[in-house]
Amino acid sequence: MSSRMIRIVLADDHTIVRNALKMLLNHQPDIEVVGTAADSQEAYEVVSRLKPDIVMLDISMPPGESGVIAAGRIHSDFPEVKIIMLTMHADKEYLLYTVQNGVSGYLLKNVPEEELIEAVHTVYAGSDYISKEMVPHLVDGFVNRHEEGKSGYLTLRERELEVLTLIARGYGNKEIGEKLFISVKTVESYRAKIMNKLGLRTRAELVDYALKKKLLQ
């Protein structure tokens, strides 16, 4: 067990969940919750200010960007901060995407308390931790990645996920460009790449896809 406190930031849009996790983690002798957040943007800001050892992110935190996108931003800007996704979604594509993009842990919210604490210690020590019931999905996903990973969700980059989400929410190219500080031409390029990768032709299909992947929650 660590000789120093493991500093954690918690991000979940449900106050009850945040408070319960905070109580559980702070009850451990070597873990301290140093900050909390109710959405992805706040999570990024708290992490940038506190530089914790670990940030625990919920995947679905309405009304802002998805926790998947926030994880990508945090990993890119603060690579020393370990990321644990804490979610209700036993989704193989979410799991594979997050693991391939810098996430160290993927936990379902129904895990026993002991497994949550074990995951924190494992990730802090420098190893990855996946919920036991998700491990078969991880193995199956990487065994079949040549068949399943050539197109679709797993091929989308962080910025493409951002653009996809904004398009599905009804923003126009100019508005998206202003939000992401990129040109309209660049937005159009991203849109074309997204449509091609996902095999979509219309905005309606894109919105339907985003809903299925819970990007609009």
Side-chain angles (χ1 to χ4, degrees):
M1 194 167 285
S2 173
S3 60
R4 62 178 287 269
M5 298 296 282
I6 302 172
R7 301 170 66 252
I8 293 181
V9 164
L10 291 174
D12 194 293
D13 59 307
H14 294 102
T15 305
I16 292 175
V17 174
R18 285 200 312 275
N19 289 342
L21 286 171
K22 184 176 180 179
M23 287 180 61
L24 169 64
L25 293 169
N26 279 340
H27 188 66
Q28 308 306 310
D30 61 343
I31 298 175
E32 178 185 11
V33 176
V34 295
T36 61
D39 58 52
S40 296
Q41 182 58 40
E42 186 180 8
Y44 180 89
E45 292 169 356
V46 173
V47 167
S48 69
R49 186 174 74 251
L50 298 178
K51 305 293 192 305
D53 298 304
I54 296 172
V55 57
M56 299 186 77
L57 286 172
D58 186 11
I59 280 183
S60 299
M61 290 186 284
E65 66 189 15
S66 113
V68 174
I69 296 174
R73 293 178 61 210
I74 290 171
H75 178 66
S76 175
D77 294 347
F78 312 104
E80 72 283 0
V81 177
K82 307 284 201 263
I83 302 170
I84 295 176
M85 304 304 291
L86 187 62
T87 178
M88 294 173 63
H89 306 308
D91 186 300
K92 182 171 72 175
E93 287 191 336
Y94 272 140
L95 171 65
L96 295 178
Y97 186 88
T98 53
V99 169
Q100 290 175 171
N101 287 273
V103 167
S104 298
Y106 194 99
L107 286 177
L108 300 182
K109 286 186 175 180
N110 63 355
V111 298
E113 294 179 358
E114 297 78 12
E115 187 174 344
L116 176 69
I117 302 305
E118 180 186 354
V120 169
H121 287 126
T122 300
V123 167
Y124 178 70
S127 299
D128 294 338
Y129 192 98
I130 309 299
S131 278
K132 292 176 173 61
E133 64 185 275
M134 293 298 292
V135 171
H137 292 301
L138 185 68
V139 175
D140 177 62
F142 282 111
V143 167
N144 296 299
R145 66 187 301 176
H146 293 296
E147 286 74 32
E148 299 180 0
K150 290 179 181 176
S151 61
Y153 191 80
L154 296 180
T155 67
L156 294 179
R157 297 181 179 276
E158 174 193 338
R159 180 62 65 150
E160 290 168 344
L161 266 181
E162 290 180 295
V163 172
L164 164 62
T165 304
L166 291 171
I167 292 173
R169 284 180 175 155
Y171 290 100
N173 291 347
K174 186 173 184 295
E175 294 173 301
I176 294 172
E178 291 172 350
K179 280 182 169 292
L180 301 180
F181 304 103
I182 56 179
S183 70
V184 171
K185 187 174 181 180
T186 301
V187 175
E188 292 171 348
S189 175
Y190 277 125
R191 180 176 183 144
K193 289 177 182 177
I194 292 166
M195 293 293 199
N196 181 58
K197 286 183 176 182
L198 300 180
L200 305 176
R201 292 171 296 176
T202 67
R203 179 188 287 272
E205 290 178 341
L206 191 148
V207 171
D208 183 59
Y209 183 89
L211 284 169
K212 287 179 179 176
K213 289 301 174 189
K214 303 177 178 66
L215 296 175
L216 301 185
Q217 288 190 350

